[in-house]
Amino acid sequence: MTDFVPEPGLTVLRVVGAVSGAAVSLVYLLPKSRREAATRFATGLACGLIFGPSAGLWIARQAGLGDVLSPHEMLLTGSAAASLSAWWVLGALVRIAGRYGGPKGL
């Protein structure tokens, strides 16, 4: 079995992208409690780290920028987009669940 050890710079880009996406999403949908903020931030960070490379590649291909963007730019963009999407979707789902009888105050 081979070891998969990513380049440290790529890991930093994943983290920066994921944190940036989570931070920007605060502008769109503010959390109602600290617990909701922590849950959504952790989810956004995890999704940005896990799905960042795939999301960046998909975005670059859809926008026709695959030849223009560097792999580092695609990774940063993908991590931010995956984090932003996860944060916003989770926040919306929590609000919908609360409105229709789900757990309140998450």
Side-chain angles (χ1 to χ4, degrees), residues 61-88:
R61 285 185 179 166
Q62 293 298 316
L65 298 173
D67 298 334
V68 179
L69 295 177
S70 72
H72 292 90
E73 291 170 321
M74 281 191 253
L75 180 59
L76 185 63
T77 301
S79 292
S83 177
L84 175 67
S85 299
W87 178 282
W88 191 86

Side-chain angles (χ1 to χ4, degrees), residues 13-104:
L13 284 175
R14 279 181 164 178
V15 171
V16 168
V19 169
S20 298
V24 167
S25 67
L26 281 173
V27 175
Y28 295 111
L29 188 62
L30 293 172
K32 289 187 175 182
S33 68
R34 289 182 182 180
R35 183 176 176 193
E36 180 184 350
T39 302
R40 287 170 41 195
F41 183 80
T43 301
L45 185 62
C47 287
L49 292 173
I50 294 167
F51 300 112
S54 300
L57 184 60
W58 183 81
I59 290 168
R61 285 185 179 166
Q62 293 298 316
L65 298 173
D67 298 334
V68 179
L69 295 177
S70 72
H72 292 90
E73 291 170 321
M74 281 191 253
L75 180 59
L76 185 63
T77 301
S79 292
S83 177
L84 175 67
S85 299
W87 178 282
W88 191 86
V89 169
L90 182 60
L93 289 175
V94 165
R95 302 256 167 99
I96 291 169
R99 190 172 292 153
Y100 295 106
K104 304 229 187 298

